[in-house]
Every structure is written in structure tokens, then in C-alpha cells.
Amino acid sequence: MPRTITIFALAGCSLAMAQAHGALEGYASLNGGTTGGQGGQVVYASTGTEINQAMCSRPADDTPLIIYVTGTINHGNTSKVSGSCDTTDSEIQFKRVSNLSLIGTGQGALFDQIGIHLREASNIIIRNIHVRNVKKSGSPLSNGGDAIGMESDVSNVWIDHNELEASGGESDGYDALIDMKATTRYVTVSYNYLHHSGRGGLIGSSDSDTDNGFVTFHHNRYEDIDSRLPLLRHGTVHAYNNYYNGISKSGMNPRIGGQIKAENNVFENAQNPIGTFYTDDMGFWDLSGNIFTNVTWLDNDTNHPAGPSLVSTASIDIPYSYQLDDSDCVKDLVLATAGVNTGLGESDGACGSQPGDGDNGGDPGDGGDNGGDDGSGGDPGSNLSLGAGSDGSSKGSGSYGDVRDGDLASYWSPSGTSGRISIKWSSATSVGKVIIKEAAGFEGRIQGWTLVNNDTGAVLASGNGAGSISFAPVSLQKINFNIQSASATPAVAEFETYAH
């Protein structure tokens, strides 16, 4: 007879809270929620060193920060940066930090042979990043061979719309795509493309590693992975609306009391997709609505598959609300939305897809597909600065046109630490949002600023630091960004304007 397992929400969480986070579903919506760097400074990085500098330049290790990444991050451009944060030159390490978002832009962000490591960290979002071929043996070495690894008091992490891959298994020098251990809790893994790896990942590194769990996997695409989807010890996992193709050894593997609720997933070309494997220390499963095509179930002394009879051994209650897609839609839906540069596409609840809500979304200046960087959500529309005119108070470097050419490599600098840069149109234009992007290597220099309607002299907004600025839409022909102070000569790569 199946046992009943009730998982209670902690720290004052509720179903309403889960719904309020929009695109974020799952356990990461509980325990206070996961917002990453929402509301914080926005910086842009194209090297690992710049990512480390951005983390170490914050006023405090919990000051909210959004880091947009473009280009290839590798060992050659990653160096250790000193400060209150703890960085390395062999991985991108979030250690003893919180309130961070690491987001790839629409121009692409590839972490080539260099992994992402979370340790003693909380409230972290990783989106639209491609990580490949991270090694634990051979060369170069990084992150114990994990694409993303979490350990030692990690909580509230959202891993969304990434691509994680390896070129083989442990004998080839690789470990896992996502590992969680040593008290890692309240994690959501959604809309990722994970492929060509010996190991998907584990939750709990040994039978004595008992304090992990509360992990949600939904709308992920798994292709050609041997095992560990996931390997689960002791903890609780909710897996729904995932697509698995090509499991060569074993898939979901709850053991030694681990429990998994698996709903409306699709398995194709798989061996032992669900059960307790390689041990007699049994786990538990609660199964409903899953589709199995060309699946083999192998039962022996240490393999205890859930099929082919597919009888649940537990009844698991989930403490958050979530949108469950029909099983027949899952394969096509996941193929259309999972992975990088999909516009953060997600289910529309009716067997179709829609752009993501932009909550800590992708690059706000890539045409609007990925939403805004301030957590406000919604498609900001087209960048109105493209095709407009521009002028300013002075030119220390570059030209005024460099802030409206869509090229982050070109920029304007004033002749000093203050100055004005403006966007102008030949006729009245409605503007309700501005995004100021600092040039690579100049991040964090802009301090005090005002945004002014040049037509009337009205101050539309004021603040500190570059990033996204939203205000009540106003019709104007010229808008001024006045840099009042900076820590050193600033450089504006793009002055983007949007209708809303």
C-alpha cells in the first residue's frame, strides 16, 4: 500500500506566493521566494574576470546585482578578483553571496570548459547560459567536473532556460550537469536543455548527506544521458512535464528514503526510467500521467524499476501551485521552449508556448523577446533609439552615435566624470523606459544621474548606477541622460529607449 507523504511549506510560504512569481514555479518560489538581483544594479560582462569584478564591487555581498553576459567565458579570460567575495580563476564561484542574477544576453553566453559553483549562497538566478565540457580530470580542470554545482548551505536557486552538456562520461573526464549536496534546498530547474552526458546530476552525495531536497524539475529536455535524472538520496523532488530521450542506464533514481512525484513526463528510448537502482535501500515514487515509448525495464538483485506495472509506492502532496500541461503536448512544447535563446519561452497553458514574463529575464536590449531586466515583466517592444539621433555635452571618447548603434563594443565617454548624452527624434515619440548599458571594463562607474524631458525640462527619474529606468510614459522629441557623478570616467555603450 502506498505511503502518504505530506511536504509542508516553510517560513510562512503559501500557494499565493508561488503564483505571484509569474514564470517561477516550484520549490524555489517557497522559503521567501527567489528574485535574484531584481531591483539592483545592472552590469555587463564578456569575461570571467568581469563577472568576478562585478560581484566583488558591490557595496555588500547581499546587495542585489544583475550580471548580463555576452560572448565566451573561459579559463583564458577568468582571473581571481580580491574583495569581500571569494572568487577563483578556475570557475565562476558564487561563495558566501546572495541576491544575484547571472543572465546570458540574446547575443549568446558560452561558458566553455568552465563551471558555475554555488557555495553558502542564496537567492541566485541563472538563465540563458550555455555551459559545456567542464572537466574533473584532464585539462583544464573546473568545478569538479560539474556544469553547475551547489553545496554547503545553498538555498533558493532558479536554474532556467540554460543549455548544459558534456562530451562523455566520467571516464572522459566529466562528472555531472547539475549536482546538489551538503544542504542544498529550495531549487527550481526549468526549461533547460541537458544533453550528451554520463550523469544528469545528484541530490545528496552520499547516504549520510541527508539535508538536501525540495527540488522541482519541470519542462526540461534531456537527450542522450546515461543516468542520474536525478539520483536522489533522502530528499523530495517534483518532476513534471519533462521530456527524456535516450536514457541508456537509468533515469529517476530515488533511494534510501528519497521520494519523487513524477507527473505528465514523456520518456522515449529509455532503460529503467524510474525506480531504485544499484542498491536495495529503497526510495519512493508517486506516478501519474507519464508516457513511455520504447522503454525497457530491467529488474535484478539491485535494480528495482517502477515498471512495467507502474504502481506508485507513495502519495506525495506538493505545497505550491503549478501549471500542469497535458502529457500529449509535452514533447513538442519542451522542444520549442527549453534551452538558450528561445525568448525565455514557456507554456501558455493550452498546449502552446509564449514568450517568458521577463522576471529577471534575458537581455532587455535584444529586441524585446526576453523581457526586462528590472523584474517588471512584459515585452518592452522595440528599441526606439535605433534610427534616432543623438547629441551630448562633450566627447572624451567615441561619438554620440555610438550609444544608439546596437553595438556594445562602441561607446561614448564625456570629457570628465560628468556629462550629458541625449536621444532625439524628428517628431514626438512616447517613451516610458530607458536602459543605460555601460561599456565592458567601465561597469559600475556611473553614480548619480537624472533623466530629463528636454522639451519641458521635467525630471523623469533620478538615481544611482546604470541599468533599467521605468517611468510614466511621456511624449517628447528629446530625452537627456545627465551623469552627475562617477567614480571614474564613465562610458555609455547603449542608451536604449522603449515605449513602455
Side-chain angles (χ1 to χ4, degrees):
M1 180 177 179
R3 70 171 186 170
T4 298
I5 304 167
T6 301
I7 307 301
F8 294 99
L10 303 182
C13 302
S14 66
L15 300 184
M17 178 180 292
Q19 293 169 325
H21 284 83
L24 172 57
E25 293 181 351
Y27 279 112
S29 68
L30 305 183
N31 194 43
T34 303
T35 57
Q38 181 176 309
Q41 183 184 7
V42 176
V43 300
Y44 296 83
S46 57
T47 69
T49 301
E50 290 171 354
I51 295 172
N52 290 340
Q53 287 172 335
M55 283 194 291
C56 290
S57 298
R58 294 186 295 167
D61 290 336
D62 60 356
T63 301
L65 176 68
I66 300 174
I67 306 172
Y68 284 113
V69 183
T70 298
T72 299
I73 308 301
N74 55 34
H75 290 261
N77 62 32
T78 301
S79 58
K80 177 181 174 64
V81 173
S82 299
S84 61
C85 60
D86 190 347
T87 66
T88 79
D89 60 1
S90 62
E91 61 198 33
I92 300 302
Q93 177 170 268
F94 293 170
K95 184 175 181 180
R96 292 191 291 272
V97 297
S98 60
N99 308 329
L100 284 165
S101 295
L102 185 71
I103 303 168
T105 71
Q107 297 162 304
L110 172 63
F111 286 49
D112 189 21
Q113 297 186 292
I114 192 163
I116 300 172
H117 183 210
L118 279 65
R119 187 182 182 95
E120 299 171 68
S122 63
N123 194 23
I124 307 294
I125 293 175
I126 302 171
R127 299 185 94 176
N128 210 42
I129 301 288
H130 182 184
V131 186
R132 72 181 182 193
N133 292 340
V134 180
K135 285 196 167 186
K136 68 175 183 178
S137 63
S139 179
L141 301 179
S142 181
N143 202 29
D146 297 336
I148 298 177
M150 293 170 268
E151 63 177 320
S152 299
D153 298 318
V154 174
S155 66
N156 291 88
V157 179
W158 186 14
I159 300 173
D160 181 68
H161 280 94
N162 302 288
E163 180 176 354
L164 311 177
E165 64 171 310
S167 293
E170 186 174 22
S171 62
D172 302 301
Y174 309 103
D175 194 1
L177 299 181
I178 303 177
D179 267 2
M180 309 178 205
K181 54 191 177 182
T183 314
T184 296
R185 310 174 86 192
Y186 297 104
V187 178
T188 292
V189 179
S190 59
Y191 292 98
N192 299 283
Y193 176 32
L194 303 96
H195 60 105
H196 294 93
S197 176
R199 296 169 172 175
L202 56 76
I203 302 168
S205 60
S206 67
D207 289 355
S208 61
D209 188 8
T210 61
D211 294 326
N212 306 283
F214 305 122
V215 180
T216 301
F217 297 89
H218 73 87
H219 293 94
N220 298 290
R221 175 185 177 188
Y222 300 88
E223 298 266 2
D224 297 321
I225 298 178
D226 292 345
S227 63
R228 301 191 179 186
L229 295 170
L231 166 58
L232 169 67
R233 294 179 172 98
H234 301 288
T236 298
V237 161
H238 184 202
Y240 66 93
N241 291 148
N242 300 289
Y243 171 59
Y244 305 82
N245 181 25
I247 303 172
S248 62
K249 295 180 180 179
S250 60
M252 299 177 185
N253 184 3
R255 57 168 70 170
I256 196 167
Q259 52 214 16
I260 188 163
K261 187 178 184 73
E263 299 181 275
N264 290 26
N265 301 286
V266 174
F267 299 88
E268 294 183 346
N269 309 309
Q271 175 176 291
N272 282 346
I274 304 173
T276 294
F277 305 110
Y278 321 119
T279 180
D280 291 326
D281 291 322
M282 296 297 295
F284 304 91
W285 45 86
D286 183 357
L287 310 177
S288 63
N290 302 290
I291 294 176
F292 300 90
T293 303
N294 191 29
V295 165
T296 301
W297 303 95
L298 297 180
D299 188 353
N300 56 37
D301 290 342
T302 57
N303 284 329
H304 310 280
S309 58
L310 294 171
V311 175
S312 296
T313 60
S315 176
I316 304 172
D317 295 326
I318 299 299
Y320 52 81
S321 63
Y322 56 99
Q323 179 175 278
L324 190 63
D325 289 299
D326 187 86
S327 306
D328 292 333
C329 306
V330 166
K331 178 179 178 179
D332 290 341
L333 177 60
V334 168
L335 290 177
T337 56
V340 297
N341 299 328
T342 63
L344 301 181
E346 60 188 27
S347 169
D348 65 3
C351 289
S353 62
Q354 61 186 0
D357 72 349
D359 187 12
N360 274 286
D363 178 16
D366 64 359
D369 288 340
N370 290 344
D373 63 2
D374 60 355
S376 61
D379 181 356
S382 300
N383 178 10
L384 302 173
S385 298
L386 300 175
S390 55
D391 62 35
S393 60
S394 64
K395 286 185 288 187
S397 298
S399 68
Y400 302 132
D402 288 336
V403 304
R404 54 178 175 82
D405 61 0
D407 183 2
L408 290 174
S410 62
Y411 60 85
W412 162 86
S413 285
S415 54
T417 56
S418 63
R420 172 184 59 84
I421 186 70
S422 304
I423 299 294
K424 56 187 180 181
W425 298 269
S426 58
S427 59
T429 301
S430 180
V431 179
K433 183 173 185 176
V434 161
I435 299 174
I436 302 296
K437 297 181 178 180
E438 292 179 279
F442 294 80
E443 297 93 339
R445 293 190 178 186
I446 293 175
Q447 295 180 349
W449 54 262
T450 59
L451 190 68
V452 175
N453 179 345
N454 186 81
D455 301 4
T456 66
V459 176
L460 303 173
S462 62
N464 290 277
S468 178
I469 308 165
S470 296
F471 48 91
V474 60
S475 181
L476 46 72
Q477 285 189 255
K478 183 175 177 179
I479 188 168
N480 306 327
F481 183 70
N482 298 316
I483 301 173
Q484 298 174 315
S485 62
S487 60
T489 301
V492 177
E494 291 296 306
F495 181 169
E496 298 178 352
T497 53
Y498 298 91
H500 60 89

mmCIF file of all heavy atoms in Angstrom, residues 218-253:
data_model
loop_
_atom_site.group_PDB
_atom_site.id
_atom_site.type_symbol
_atom_site.label_atom_id
_atom_site.label_comp_id
_atom_site.label_asym_id
_atom_site.label_seq_id
_atom_site.Cartn_x
_atom_site.Cartn_y
_atom_site.Cartn_z
ATOM 1 N N HIS A 218 10.970 20.970 -14.066
ATOM 2 C CA HIS A 218 9.817 20.993 -14.973
ATOM 3 C C HIS A 218 10.180 21.578 -16.334
ATOM 4 O O HIS A 218 11.009 22.470 -16.446
ATOM 5 C CB HIS A 218 8.631 21.729 -14.350
ATOM 6 C CG HIS A 218 8.749 23.228 -14.259
ATOM 7 N ND1 HIS A 218 8.369 24.069 -15.292
ATOM 8 C CD2 HIS A 218 9.162 24.034 -13.259
ATOM 9 C CE1 HIS A 218 8.546 25.320 -14.918
ATOM 10 N NE2 HIS A 218 9.035 25.335 -13.698
ATOM 11 N N HIS A 219 9.582 21.032 -17.362
ATOM 12 C CA HIS A 219 9.739 21.472 -18.750
ATOM 13 C C HIS A 219 11.202 21.470 -19.203
ATOM 14 O O HIS A 219 11.627 22.339 -19.954
ATOM 15 C CB HIS A 219 9.113 22.857 -18.946
ATOM 16 C CG HIS A 219 7.625 22.874 -18.796
ATOM 17 N ND1 HIS A 219 7.024 23.178 -17.592
ATOM 18 C CD2 HIS A 219 6.631 22.625 -19.678
ATOM 19 C CE1 HIS A 219 5.709 23.116 -17.740
ATOM 20 N NE2 HIS A 219 5.446 22.773 -18.992
ATOM 21 N N ASN A 220 11.963 20.482 -18.725
ATOM 22 C CA ASN A 220 13.340 20.328 -19.174
ATOM 23 C C ASN A 220 13.427 19.294 -20.287
ATOM 24 O O ASN A 220 12.605 18.386 -20.378
ATOM 25 C CB ASN A 220 14.240 19.899 -18.006
ATOM 26 C CG ASN A 220 14.272 20.926 -16.906
ATOM 27 O OD1 ASN A 220 14.831 22.002 -17.066
ATOM 28 N ND2 ASN A 220 13.652 20.596 -15.769
ATOM 29 N N ARG A 221 14.444 19.431 -21.109
ATOM 30 C CA ARG A 221 14.706 18.491 -22.209
ATOM 31 C C ARG A 221 15.998 17.742 -21.911
ATOM 32 O O ARG A 221 17.055 18.349 -21.724
ATOM 33 C CB ARG A 221 14.835 19.254 -23.524
ATOM 34 C CG ARG A 221 15.228 18.401 -24.725
ATOM 35 C CD ARG A 221 15.459 19.282 -25.949
ATOM 36 N NE ARG A 221 15.911 18.517 -27.104
ATOM 37 C CZ ARG A 221 16.323 19.055 -28.246
ATOM 38 N NH1 ARG A 221 16.313 20.380 -28.381
ATOM 39 N NH2 ARG A 221 16.731 18.299 -29.245
ATOM 40 N N TYR A 222 15.907 16.419 -21.845
ATOM 41 C CA TYR A 222 17.060 15.572 -21.574
ATOM 42 C C TYR A 222 17.309 14.677 -22.788
ATOM 43 O O TYR A 222 16.419 13.945 -23.214
ATOM 44 C CB TYR A 222 16.812 14.690 -20.356
ATOM 45 C CG TYR A 222 16.546 15.442 -19.070
ATOM 46 C CD1 TYR A 222 15.260 15.826 -18.720
ATOM 47 C CD2 TYR A 222 17.584 15.748 -18.194
ATOM 48 C CE1 TYR A 222 15.009 16.512 -17.531
ATOM 49 C CE2 TYR A 222 17.343 16.421 -17.001
ATOM 50 C CZ TYR A 222 16.059 16.804 -16.681
ATOM 51 O OH TYR A 222 15.804 17.474 -15.511
ATOM 52 N N GLU A 223 18.517 14.743 -23.332
ATOM 53 C CA GLU A 223 18.859 13.941 -24.516
ATOM 54 C C GLU A 223 20.181 13.213 -24.276
ATOM 55 O O GLU A 223 21.181 13.825 -23.887
ATOM 56 C CB GLU A 223 19.022 14.848 -25.745
ATOM 57 C CG GLU A 223 17.772 15.612 -26.144
ATOM 58 C CD GLU A 223 16.946 14.895 -27.198
ATOM 59 O OE1 GLU A 223 17.330 13.778 -27.593
ATOM 60 O OE2 GLU A 223 15.926 15.462 -27.612
ATOM 61 N N ASP A 224 20.179 11.902 -24.509
ATOM 62 C CA ASP A 224 21.402 11.092 -24.510
ATOM 63 C C ASP A 224 22.212 11.275 -23.230
ATOM 64 O O ASP A 224 23.358 11.729 -23.240
ATOM 65 C CB ASP A 224 22.249 11.423 -25.738
ATOM 66 C CG ASP A 224 21.541 11.070 -27.035
ATOM 67 O OD1 ASP A 224 20.875 10.025 -27.082
ATOM 68 O OD2 ASP A 224 21.633 11.853 -27.994
ATOM 69 N N ILE A 225 21.593 10.893 -22.118
ATOM 70 C CA ILE A 225 22.252 10.914 -20.813
ATOM 71 C C ILE A 225 22.168 9.511 -20.223
ATOM 72 O O ILE A 225 21.121 8.869 -20.273
ATOM 73 C CB ILE A 225 21.594 11.946 -19.882
ATOM 74 C CG1 ILE A 225 21.736 13.360 -20.479
ATOM 75 C CG2 ILE A 225 22.216 11.900 -18.498
ATOM 76 C CD1 ILE A 225 21.084 14.444 -19.669
ATOM 77 N N ASP A 226 23.269 9.032 -19.656
ATOM 78 C CA ASP A 226 23.305 7.657 -19.171
ATOM 79 C C ASP A 226 22.398 7.450 -17.957
ATOM 80 O O ASP A 226 21.618 6.489 -17.900
ATOM 81 C CB ASP A 226 24.741 7.270 -18.794
ATOM 82 C CG ASP A 226 25.660 7.169 -19.995
ATOM 83 O OD1 ASP A 226 25.155 7.111 -21.131
ATOM 84 O OD2 ASP A 226 26.892 7.166 -19.795
ATOM 85 N N SER A 227 22.507 8.342 -16.943
ATOM 86 C CA SER A 227 21.820 8.082 -15.674
ATOM 87 C C SER A 227 21.723 9.362 -14.846
ATOM 88 O O SER A 227 22.132 10.431 -15.270
ATOM 89 C CB SER A 227 22.583 7.014 -14.883
ATOM 90 O OG SER A 227 23.886 7.457 -14.548
ATOM 91 N N ARG A 228 21.144 9.200 -13.622
ATOM 92 C CA ARG A 228 21.027 10.277 -12.627
ATOM 93 C C ARG A 228 20.145 11.421 -13.130
ATOM 94 O O ARG A 228 20.618 12.529 -13.342
ATOM 95 C CB ARG A 228 22.405 10.790 -12.204
ATOM 96 C CG ARG A 228 23.288 9.715 -11.598
ATOM 97 C CD ARG A 228 24.526 10.303 -10.956
ATOM 98 N NE ARG A 228 25.352 9.260 -10.367
ATOM 99 C CZ ARG A 228 26.446 9.464 -9.640
ATOM 100 N NH1 ARG A 228 26.844 10.704 -9.395
ATOM 101 N NH2 ARG A 228 27.128 8.457 -9.150
ATOM 102 N N LEU A 229 18.863 11.145 -13.241
ATOM 103 C CA LEU A 229 17.919 12.150 -13.739
ATOM 104 C C LEU A 229 16.765 12.427 -12.775
ATOM 105 O O LEU A 229 15.602 12.483 -13.214
ATOM 106 C CB LEU A 229 17.384 11.700 -15.110
ATOM 107 C CG LEU A 229 18.438 11.634 -16.210
ATOM 108 C CD1 LEU A 229 17.896 10.970 -17.450
ATOM 109 C CD2 LEU A 229 18.988 12.999 -16.527
ATOM 110 N N PRO A 230 17.008 12.721 -11.510
ATOM 111 C CA PRO A 230 18.308 12.708 -10.830
ATOM 112 C C PRO A 230 18.499 11.436 -10.020
ATOM 113 O O PRO A 230 17.581 10.648 -9.849
ATOM 114 C CB PRO A 230 18.180 13.907 -9.890
ATOM 115 C CG PRO A 230 16.734 13.817 -9.451
ATOM 116 C CD PRO A 230 15.971 13.346 -10.667
ATOM 117 N N LEU A 231 19.723 11.253 -9.467
ATOM 118 C CA LEU A 231 19.965 10.335 -8.355
ATOM 119 C C LEU A 231 19.607 11.103 -7.090
ATOM 120 O O LEU A 231 20.148 12.180 -6.832
ATOM 121 C CB LEU A 231 21.430 9.913 -8.320
ATOM 122 C CG LEU A 231 21.923 9.224 -7.051
ATOM 123 C CD1 LEU A 231 21.131 7.974 -6.745
ATOM 124 C CD2 LEU A 231 23.414 8.921 -7.145
ATOM 125 N N LEU A 232 18.664 10.577 -6.318
ATOM 126 C CA LEU A 232 18.098 11.306 -5.187
ATOM 127 C C LEU A 232 18.239 10.503 -3.907
ATOM 128 O O LEU A 232 17.700 9.401 -3.796
ATOM 129 C CB LEU A 232 16.621 11.608 -5.454
ATOM 130 C CG LEU A 232 15.782 12.135 -4.303
ATOM 131 C CD1 LEU A 232 16.253 13.528 -3.898
ATOM 132 C CD2 LEU A 232 14.308 12.153 -4.689
ATOM 133 N N ARG A 233 18.927 11.072 -2.935
ATOM 134 C CA ARG A 233 19.046 10.441 -1.619
ATOM 135 C C ARG A 233 18.285 11.274 -0.588
ATOM 136 O O ARG A 233 18.537 12.469 -0.458
ATOM 137 C CB ARG A 233 20.511 10.327 -1.201
ATOM 138 C CG ARG A 233 21.355 9.389 -2.072
ATOM 139 C CD ARG A 233 22.790 9.385 -1.558
ATOM 140 N NE ARG A 233 23.612 8.376 -2.208
ATOM 141 C CZ ARG A 233 24.437 8.613 -3.237
ATOM 142 N NH1 ARG A 233 24.514 9.840 -3.755
ATOM 143 N NH2 ARG A 233 25.163 7.639 -3.743
ATOM 144 N N HIS A 234 17.368 10.645 0.104
ATOM 145 C CA HIS A 234 16.651 11.218 1.250
ATOM 146 C C HIS A 234 15.657 12.323 0.896
ATOM 147 O O HIS A 234 14.616 12.431 1.519
ATOM 148 C CB HIS A 234 17.632 11.762 2.297
ATOM 149 C CG HIS A 234 18.579 10.757 2.842
ATOM 150 N ND1 HIS A 234 18.187 9.763 3.707
ATOM 151 C CD2 HIS A 234 19.912 10.582 2.614
ATOM 152 C CE1 HIS A 234 19.231 9.010 4.013
ATOM 153 N NE2 HIS A 234 20.291 9.477 3.366
ATOM 154 N N GLY A 235 15.934 13.180 -0.051
ATOM 155 C CA GLY A 235 15.150 14.391 -0.264
ATOM 156 C C GLY A 235 13.863 14.175 -1.028
ATOM 157 O O GLY A 235 13.448 13.053 -1.333
ATOM 158 N N THR A 236 13.209 15.290 -1.357
ATOM 159 C CA THR A 236 11.944 15.283 -2.089
ATOM 160 C C THR A 236 12.114 16.042 -3.399
ATOM 161 O O THR A 236 12.664 17.153 -3.420
ATOM 162 C CB THR A 236 10.844 15.962 -1.259
ATOM 163 O OG1 THR A 236 10.648 15.218 -0.053
ATOM 164 C CG2 THR A 236 9.535 16.016 -2.037
ATOM 165 N N VAL A 237 11.628 15.439 -4.472
ATOM 166 C CA VAL A 237 11.688 16.033 -5.808
ATOM 167 C C VAL A 237 10.310 15.989 -6.449
ATOM 168 O O VAL A 237 9.569 15.014 -6.297
ATOM 169 C CB VAL A 237 12.708 15.284 -6.701
ATOM 170 C CG1 VAL A 237 12.470 15.568 -8.177
ATOM 171 C CG2 VAL A 237 14.128 15.672 -6.330
ATOM 172 N N HIS A 238 9.984 17.040 -7.173
ATOM 173 C CA HIS A 238 8.782 17.085 -8.003
ATOM 174 C C HIS A 238 9.243 17.247 -9.448
ATOM 175 O O HIS A 238 9.910 18.240 -9.782
ATOM 176 C CB HIS A 238 7.893 18.256 -7.584
ATOM 177 C CG HIS A 238 6.600 18.326 -8.315
ATOM 178 N ND1 HIS A 238 5.869 19.497 -8.430
ATOM 179 C CD2 HIS A 238 5.875 17.376 -8.975
ATOM 180 C CE1 HIS A 238 4.762 19.270 -9.115
ATOM 181 N NE2 HIS A 238 4.750 17.988 -9.456
ATOM 182 N N ALA A 239 8.925 16.294 -10.298
ATOM 183 C CA ALA A 239 9.323 16.331 -11.709
ATOM 184 C C ALA A 239 8.069 16.248 -12.572
ATOM 185 O O ALA A 239 7.357 15.239 -12.539
ATOM 186 C CB ALA A 239 10.265 15.184 -12.031
ATOM 187 N N TYR A 240 7.811 17.305 -13.348
ATOM 188 C CA TYR A 240 6.621 17.297 -14.197
ATOM 189 C C TYR A 240 6.903 17.951 -15.544
ATOM 190 O O TYR A 240 7.729 18.854 -15.668
ATOM 191 C CB TYR A 240 5.437 17.971 -13.504
ATOM 192 C CG TYR A 240 5.552 19.451 -13.230
ATOM 193 C CD1 TYR A 240 5.057 20.398 -14.127
ATOM 194 C CD2 TYR A 240 6.139 19.924 -12.059
ATOM 195 C CE1 TYR A 240 5.154 21.753 -13.872
ATOM 196 C CE2 TYR A 240 6.230 21.273 -11.788
ATOM 197 C CZ TYR A 240 5.733 22.192 -12.694
ATOM 198 O OH TYR A 240 5.834 23.547 -12.442
ATOM 199 N N ASN A 241 6.226 17.423 -16.556
ATOM 200 C CA ASN A 241 6.278 17.987 -17.909
ATOM 201 C C ASN A 241 7.694 18.059 -18.484
ATOM 202 O O ASN A 241 8.035 18.995 -19.214
ATOM 203 C CB ASN A 241 5.639 19.382 -17.937
ATOM 204 C CG ASN A 241 4.149 19.364 -17.740
ATOM 205 O OD1 ASN A 241 3.574 20.292 -17.170
ATOM 206 N ND2 ASN A 241 3.482 18.306 -18.198
ATOM 207 N N ASN A 242 8.525 17.066 -18.156
ATOM 208 C CA ASN A 242 9.859 16.967 -18.743
ATOM 209 C C ASN A 242 9.841 15.979 -19.908
ATOM 210 O O ASN A 242 9.013 15.060 -19.949
ATOM 211 C CB ASN A 242 10.875 16.502 -17.700
ATOM 212 C CG ASN A 242 10.972 17.458 -16.532
ATOM 213 O OD1 ASN A 242 11.478 18.559 -16.653
ATOM 214 N ND2 ASN A 242 10.464 17.029 -15.371
ATOM 215 N N TYR A 243 10.779 16.150 -20.831
ATOM 216 C CA TYR A 243 10.908 15.242 -21.979
ATOM 217 C C TYR A 243 12.279 14.576 -21.921
ATOM 218 O O TYR A 243 13.312 15.252 -21.884
ATOM 219 C CB TYR A 243 10.751 16.005 -23.286
ATOM 220 C CG TYR A 243 11.088 15.181 -24.512
ATOM 221 C CD1 TYR A 243 10.405 13.991 -24.793
ATOM 222 C CD2 TYR A 243 12.080 15.593 -25.397
ATOM 223 C CE1 TYR A 243 10.709 13.227 -25.925
ATOM 224 C CE2 TYR A 243 12.391 14.844 -26.533
ATOM 225 C CZ TYR A 243 11.711 13.664 -26.781
ATOM 226 O OH TYR A 243 12.020 12.903 -27.881
ATOM 227 N N TYR A 244 12.274 13.230 -21.889
ATOM 228 C CA TYR A 244 13.503 12.448 -21.791
ATOM 229 C C TYR A 244 13.634 11.577 -23.040
ATOM 230 O O TYR A 244 12.727 10.802 -23.357
ATOM 231 C CB TYR A 244 13.473 11.538 -20.566
ATOM 232 C CG TYR A 244 13.204 12.238 -19.251
ATOM 233 C CD1 TYR A 244 11.902 12.547 -18.855
ATOM 234 C CD2 TYR A 244 14.247 12.572 -18.390
ATOM 235 C CE1 TYR A 244 11.642 13.179 -17.651
ATOM 236 C CE2 TYR A 244 14.004 13.202 -17.176
ATOM 237 C CZ TYR A 244 12.691 13.502 -16.812
ATOM 238 O OH TYR A 244 12.438 14.125 -15.615
ATOM 239 N N ASN A 245 14.766 11.668 -23.717
ATOM 240 C CA ASN A 245 15.000 10.849 -24.905
ATOM 241 C C ASN A 245 16.427 10.313 -24.867
ATOM 242 O O ASN A 245 17.391 11.080 -24.891
ATOM 243 C CB ASN A 245 14.799 11.687 -26.174
ATOM 244 C CG ASN A 245 15.007 10.865 -27.432
ATOM 245 O OD1 ASN A 245 14.857 9.641 -27.424
ATOM 246 N ND2 ASN A 245 15.360 11.535 -28.510
ATOM 247 N N GLY A 246 16.553 8.993 -24.779
ATOM 248 C CA GLY A 246 17.874 8.394 -24.807
ATOM 249 C C GLY A 246 18.507 8.238 -23.435
ATOM 250 O O GLY A 246 19.614 8.726 -23.203
ATOM 251 N N ILE A 247 17.821 7.544 -22.511
ATOM 252 C CA ILE A 247 18.415 7.185 -21.215
ATOM 253 C C ILE A 247 19.003 5.785 -21.369
ATOM 254 O O ILE A 247 18.271 4.810 -21.532
ATOM 255 C CB ILE A 247 17.364 7.195 -20.091
ATOM 256 C CG1 ILE A 247 16.684 8.566 -19.984
ATOM 257 C CG2 ILE A 247 17.997 6.816 -18.763
ATOM 258 C CD1 ILE A 247 15.500 8.585 -19.022
ATOM 259 N N SER A 248 20.320 5.661 -21.283
ATOM 260 C CA SER A 248 20.941 4.381 -21.605
ATOM 261 C C SER A 248 21.050 3.430 -20.420
ATOM 262 O O SER A 248 21.158 2.215 -20.613
ATOM 263 C CB SER A 248 22.331 4.607 -22.206
ATOM 264 O OG SER A 248 23.175 5.251 -21.274
ATOM 265 N N LYS A 249 21.016 3.954 -19.162
ATOM 266 C CA LYS A 249 21.174 3.083 -17.998
ATOM 267 C C LYS A 249 20.002 3.206 -17.028
ATOM 268 O O LYS A 249 19.326 2.231 -16.751
ATOM 269 C CB LYS A 249 22.495 3.390 -17.298
ATOM 270 C CG LYS A 249 23.724 3.074 -18.143
ATOM 271 C CD LYS A 249 25.018 3.392 -17.413
ATOM 272 C CE LYS A 249 26.228 3.079 -18.281
ATOM 273 N NZ LYS A 249 27.513 3.411 -17.601
ATOM 274 N N SER A 250 19.773 4.390 -16.476
ATOM 275 C CA SER A 250 18.657 4.592 -15.550
ATOM 276 C C SER A 250 18.348 6.080 -15.462
ATOM 277 O O SER A 250 19.223 6.920 -15.685
ATOM 278 C CB SER A 250 18.979 4.046 -14.157
ATOM 279 O OG SER A 250 20.116 4.693 -13.613
ATOM 280 N N GLY A 251 17.090 6.389 -15.117
ATOM 281 C CA GLY A 251 16.654 7.772 -15.077
ATOM 282 C C GLY A 251 16.463 8.292 -13.671
ATOM 283 O O GLY A 251 17.422 8.472 -12.917
ATOM 284 N N MET A 252 15.211 8.541 -13.283
ATOM 285 C CA MET A 252 14.912 8.989 -11.923
ATOM 286 C C MET A 252 15.248 7.866 -10.956
ATOM 287 O O MET A 252 14.725 6.759 -11.075
ATOM 288 C CB MET A 252 13.439 9.355 -11.797
ATOM 289 C CG MET A 252 12.979 10.471 -12.703
ATOM 290 S SD MET A 252 11.180 10.751 -12.521
ATOM 291 C CE MET A 252 10.917 11.999 -13.789
ATOM 292 N N ASN A 253 16.096 8.157 -9.968
ATOM 293 C CA ASN A 253 16.614 7.114 -9.104
ATOM 294 C C ASN A 253 16.529 7.532 -7.637
ATOM 295 O O ASN A 253 17.530 7.840 -6.994
ATOM 296 C CB ASN A 253 18.063 6.801 -9.494
ATOM 297 C CG ASN A 253 18.661 5.645 -8.716
ATOM 298 O OD1 ASN A 253 17.989 5.005 -7.903
ATOM 299 N ND2 ASN A 253 19.936 5.381 -8.944
#
